[in-house]
Amino acid sequence: MAKYRVVYGVLLLVCILFFIFFQGYLSHLTLIIALLFPVLSFLLLLPACFCTRVFLRVPTQTVEKKEKLPFFLHVENRWLLPCSAVILRLNCRNLLGGEQQDSLEFQPLHTLRRFPVGARSSSSISQDLSSRWCGKLELKVEKVRVMDLLGLFCLPVFVRVPPQYINVLPQIKEMEVVLDQQMMEVDSDRFSPYHPGNDPSEVFQVREFREGDTLRRVHWKLTQRMGELMVRDFSLPVDHALYFLMEAGAEGGAEELDRLLGAFASISSALIQQGCAHHVGWMEKEQMHWEQINESAELQAVMSQMLSMSVSSGRPGLQYVLSQDVLRPGAHLLYATTPGEEEIVLSGMEILRRDKGCRRVTILLAGRGFQETIDDCTIVRLREGGMDLEELVL
């Protein structure tokens, strides 16, 4: 726009010199036209501020990190005259980390897009977007302006474009989780409707005797009635009182949060494949959220909420668990967190073991820090390039 103003200024100066040195009808007419053209161009631009519509469309709301996602901008001009340029300012930011996201190395994406739109017509552009970290991306059109035919004026468009939100999921890594059924059976009150197990408190099915079956499971009354050996299959527990507590400490950075969510998604996916129901909790806007996960669809729904998890100081999630009776007796708590505030974390782990009846506590640490100074507490560090879960046996 500055270039067009400089050109117009030079032309206006030439018209003024022509008016000064050449007295006559033509010099007067040239100067008047040069002065009226900007006014006329401005007046014709005013209706375009109300007749321009902008639409932002994202084909999918869920992608994996580093995956390219195209989005489309559609501009419609309903005015009788063309717009020499429609200028759009786009802003894309990662909401993971909450209000402190600027300190988490998430660099907002600011771009300017400029293109002409003809009279009573529309124009569309596409652009690719990708994110290095997981999280919830907010894609927003912050400013829309239209330029007059001479390129001298630029006015805002009175239109509100709703932002689009994109869930950038962490990469789920294949891993093996060992379930100690004998240890977990006493904690379960839910059983699989599809597979038998070894819990004698519930009968899964009664069937005919097969070679290898123990006589302890023979249903003698039914055997006498049917005239052949019938045995009981016991049930398989699927709710193992297994709890994840997710907490992003104030000292956690973008890499630590990305690794933290990736670890939870990978472990939860492995548990789902084995039919193990589990619980996850996290603090959001001073409110504790608890969800139970039984299948992949529920994991995806939970992840879409956790992708905008805020960082906080003082460990409010841990403090909530310590003050409320939210864990079942004999539960195994996996505290997934970032480094910092070690004294609060370690003292909280001791209280969970001593006063809250947790059978086992495990700290999943996304980064360096914490010393293994607590009895019956496992500290697993999530290292670069993979997860060190050798000591984690569920």
Side-chain angles (χ1 to χ4, degrees), residues 183-189 239-241 328-332 359:
M183 181 182 295
M184 292 295 193
E185 283 172 358
V186 295
D187 298 323
S188 180
D189 59 1
D239 185 356
H240 298 308
R328 287 168 48 189
H332 181 182
R359 183 189 68 255

Side-chain angles (χ1 to χ4, degrees), residues 10-31:
V10 172
L11 293 177
L12 181 61
L13 179 61
V14 171
C15 292
I16 293 174
L17 294 176
F18 181 59
F19 173 78
I20 293 174
F21 293 103
F22 298 92
Q23 295 294 328
Y25 172 77
L26 184 59
S27 62
H28 287 75
L29 181 61
T30 303
L31 180 60

Side-chain angles (χ1 to χ4, degrees), residues 69 71 89-95 101-102 106-111 127 129-131 136-142 164 166 168:
L69 171 68
F71 64 91
R89 180 179 177 86
L90 293 172
N91 178 26
C92 182
R93 66 190 186 105
N94 197 323
L95 300 181
Q101 61 91 24
D102 289 337
F106 292 127
Q107 298 297 328
L109 170 67
H110 299 287
T111 60
Q127 185 173 337
L129 177 68
S130 63
S131 177
K136 185 180 291 291
L137 300 185
E138 181 187 56
L139 184 61
K140 182 190 298 184
V141 179
E142 288 189 333
Q164 297 291 319
I166 304 146
V168 182

Side-chain angles (χ1 to χ4, degrees), residues 291-351:
E291 299 290 344
Q292 180 169 320
I293 300 177
N294 302 281
E295 55 187 22
S296 299
E298 294 175 346
L299 172 60
Q300 187 171 358
V302 167
M303 287 301 302
S304 66
Q305 300 178 57
M306 293 174 56
L307 289 174
S308 57
M309 182 172 55
S310 302
V311 298
S312 56
S313 59
R315 305 288 176 173
L318 180 59
Q319 299 297 338
Y320 180 90
V321 172
L322 294 176
S323 61
Q324 305 292 328
D325 294 328
V326 296
L327 304 179
R328 287 168 48 189
H332 181 182
L333 176 69
L334 293 98
Y335 184 50
T337 187
T338 56
E341 302 173 318
E342 293 187 19
E343 294 183 0
I344 299 177
V345 175
L346 297 180
S347 62
M349 297 299 105
E350 292 178 351
I351 295 174

Side-chain angles (χ1 to χ4, degrees), residues 12-71:
L12 181 61
L13 179 61
V14 171
C15 292
I16 293 174
L17 294 176
F18 181 59
F19 173 78
I20 293 174
F21 293 103
F22 298 92
Q23 295 294 328
Y25 172 77
L26 184 59
S27 62
H28 287 75
L29 181 61
T30 303
L31 180 60
I32 292 173
I33 292 175
L35 293 175
L36 288 180
F37 256 16
V39 177
L40 180 62
S41 181
F42 178 81
L43 294 177
L44 293 176
L45 179 64
L46 287 176
C49 299
F50 302 92
C51 297
T52 302
R53 297 290 181 268
V54 178
F55 305 94
L56 177 62
R57 186 173 65 87
V58 178
T60 179
Q61 272 70 43
T62 303
V63 295
E64 289 190 359
K65 66 177 184 179
K66 299 181 182 179
E67 179 183 351
K68 288 187 177 182
L69 171 68
F71 64 91

Side-chain angles (χ1 to χ4, degrees), residues 206-209 218-231:
V206 179
R207 57 172 175 79
E208 296 180 358
F209 182 87
V218 173
H219 195 305
W220 295 109
K221 290 184 179 180
L222 190 58
T223 296
Q224 186 177 7
R225 188 185 313 164
M226 300 292 294
E228 58 179 331
L229 282 176
M230 304 295 293
V231 297

